[in-house]
Amino acid sequence: MERIIQATINALGFLEDDVYFPEPDCFESIRDLIRFLRNDTITAVARRVCGERNIVRYDLIPIMKSPNTPDKLFDIALRLTINLCQPVSLMFGGRHPEDKEAWLIYQEIEQNLRNSKEAFGDIQLFKTFERKAATYFAQDWLERNEEMKLLVERIFALSRYVLAIGDTDLDKERVPQDMNSHDQLVLAILESGFGKLLVEISENSAERDFHLWILEIFAMLLKQHEAKDVVAAGSIRTAEERKRQENEMRKVVEQETEKQLNKRRCISSRHTAFAGSYILKGLKAINKDNDMIVNKVIKNCNDIGHLNKRKIQHRAPKSRRPFDIETNKHISALNVRIVLRSFCIEMLQKSYCRLICGCKDGAFSGKRTLGQDKADIHYFILMQFSLEFCRLADLSPEYVSM
């Protein structure tokens, strides 16, 4: 089975000098890969092979952004990209795997997704998406067909899936103010005009079928940024203020670096049989000398808080635990924050109230699909960021009044 999938991938085409040359049977090969994924085994052989070869980066994205790609080939390449970029939890029915082998498969597919995320930071790709979607929304209602509507929904679904992918391994090695893969993706969406198109669609009440998708895209665009940092990006005008901002940024970087070094210096709390045993004198114990024997590495003799960890820890019920969602905050590069600031102002002025009011029922409905299981969390993320941004930027309260 694996050899057949490898041969099918080789029959797609090749990339040379940023120009993709599809093979004559490229359409049939992509269709075969979709069939392999539909009939995949429990160990997800087809998905893992496609992820290892990273066909999203080297084949599918070049096909979609090429101006010479036919509509049918673009559509089927988009379908395969959505299938490969969907969250890994959807494969397991929204649940985490239980056995060790399933966990290894889960982590491997998740790593393949992260490896393909950086390729989506391409402005030309989102310009193609913007052109396809704008063609549909420019048509009259009587001229629209279901195929074009399905194509637009797939574009929105792919944008949402890509924004939900976690940080890559290179992102973890970058300094806090450096541009990571998520910033590149945000910059590509906003500078290509795709973000402006989403604002215009969300402004129109007749396009309410797409509003929940757009709300989630907006929330995931902003979830890794602090409102105060985005607001402050527009106030840097003079050279002195810019220099002061750079000094503050340097201090933040030094603090983050120091925190990472402190984490590495910490002694592991896991007990090892080779660490030895220690006696703490003067504590309550069952012997007459009041000497307590400790089998754990002691970092500070004056701190005995580690003794309480031997007790049974209180576990909060699942219904009261924090939301299971990644919200890693960081300070982006200045150009990213400036673009985000103008986008936030435009979104607040035109479509925020309509989105929040119109998507309330859909975000908290019990009939949501498995791919939109976190729509309620994204609803609150967008609301919190927008309210804080409006307050810090001294905008009119009418923009957020519902």
Side-chain angles (χ1 to χ4, degrees), residues 314-367:
H314 175 70
R315 299 185 63 183
K318 288 185 177 180
S319 59
R320 299 180 183 177
R321 292 178 187 174
F323 293 129
D324 183 16
I325 187 170
E326 294 184 4
T327 55
N328 298 326
K329 305 287 186 178
H330 74 283
I331 302 177
S332 303
L334 181 60
N335 58 336
V336 178
R337 287 180 285 147
I338 291 176
V339 174
L340 270 176
R341 187 177 188 274
S342 59
F343 165 75
C344 292
I345 294 175
E346 184 180 8
M347 184 263 296
L348 287 172
Q349 292 176 348
K350 294 183 177 180
S351 63
Y352 170 77
C353 292
R354 188 178 299 278
L355 272 181
I356 293 297
C357 295
C359 296
K360 183 178 180 180
D361 295 336
F364 297 95
S365 173
K367 299 180 180 180

Side-chain angles (χ1 to χ4, degrees), residues 7-40:
T8 307
I9 294 174
N10 293 333
L12 292 176
F14 60 94
L15 182 66
E16 184 177 354
D17 296 333
D18 293 334
V19 179
Y20 193 83
F21 298 93
E23 296 291 344
D25 54 348
C26 180
F27 181 87
E28 289 76 12
S29 300
I30 295 178
R31 188 175 57 186
D32 291 339
L33 289 175
I34 294 175
R35 189 176 69 252
F36 292 151
L37 290 172
R38 187 185 302 118
N39 303 320
D40 206 356

Side-chain angles (χ1 to χ4, degrees), residues 151-168:
L151 178 66
V152 174
E153 289 179 351
R154 286 170 178 164
I155 290 175
F156 290 168
L158 178 61
S159 303
R160 180 192 173 281
Y161 287 163
V162 173
L163 286 168
I165 299 175
D167 294 335
T168 63

Side-chain angles (χ1 to χ4, degrees), residues 229-273:
D229 298 329
V230 178
V231 172
S235 61
I236 303 175
R237 296 184 179 89
T238 63
E240 296 180 358
E241 292 178 349
R242 190 178 294 108
K243 187 176 181 180
R244 178 175 55 82
Q245 185 74 13
E246 291 177 356
N247 293 333
E248 293 178 357
M249 186 77 68
R250 192 177 297 108
K251 292 180 181 179
V252 172
V253 173
E254 292 175 356
Q255 292 175 359
E256 292 293 332
T257 307
E258 187 66 24
K259 287 181 181 179
Q260 294 177 1
L261 291 176
N262 291 334
K263 287 182 180 179
R264 295 175 183 176
R265 293 169 186 161
C266 289
I267 304 175
S268 175
S269 60
R270 182 179 177 182
H271 172 65
T272 171

Side-chain angles (χ1 to χ4, degrees), residues 168-290:
T168 63
D169 294 337
L170 292 176
D171 294 338
K172 299 176 183 179
E173 299 176 359
R174 291 187 174 104
V175 292
Q177 84 280 9
D178 197 5
M179 186 181 296
N180 58 11
S181 59
H182 187 81
D183 292 338
Q184 295 173 6
L185 184 58
V186 170
L187 209 59
I189 291 175
L190 298 182
E191 289 189 346
S192 63
F194 188 68
K196 187 175 182 179
L197 176 65
L198 295 180
V199 173
E200 294 175 356
I201 297 170
S202 59
E203 186 182 4
N204 188 359
S205 60
E207 310 292 351
R208 63 177 65 90
D209 294 341
F210 303 96
H211 284 183
L212 186 58
W213 290 101
I214 296 175
L215 182 141
E216 292 196 79
I217 292 174
F218 286 173
M220 285 187 282
L221 281 173
L222 304 171
K223 70 177 182 179
Q224 291 193 5
H225 302 86
E226 293 284 355
K228 59 181 181 180
D229 298 329
V230 178
V231 172
S235 61
I236 303 175
R237 296 184 179 89
T238 63
E240 296 180 358
E241 292 178 349
R242 190 178 294 108
K243 187 176 181 180
R244 178 175 55 82
Q245 185 74 13
E246 291 177 356
N247 293 333
E248 293 178 357
M249 186 77 68
R250 192 177 297 108
K251 292 180 181 179
V252 172
V253 173
E254 292 175 356
Q255 292 175 359
E256 292 293 332
T257 307
E258 187 66 24
K259 287 181 181 179
Q260 294 177 1
L261 291 176
N262 291 334
K263 287 182 180 179
R264 295 175 183 176
R265 293 169 186 161
C266 289
I267 304 175
S268 175
S269 60
R270 182 179 177 182
H271 172 65
T272 171
F274 301 99
S277 301
Y278 302 89
I279 296 177
L280 291 180
K281 292 184 174 293
L283 293 179
K284 291 293 183 180
I286 58 176
N287 55 54
K288 61 180 181 179
D289 297 329
N290 284 338

Side-chain angles (χ1 to χ4, degrees), residues 18 57 61-62 64-66 117-129 162 181 184-192 194:
D18 293 334
R57 177 171 188 171
I61 290 180
M64 289 188 293
K65 73 177 185 179
S66 176
K117 180 180 180 179
E118 195 170 354
F120 284 94
D122 192 333
I123 298 179
Q124 186 62 36
L125 175 65
F126 282 96
K127 281 185 178 179
T128 306
F129 288 166
V162 173
S181 59
Q184 295 173 6
L185 184 58
V186 170
L187 209 59
I189 291 175
L190 298 182
E191 289 189 346
S192 63
F194 188 68

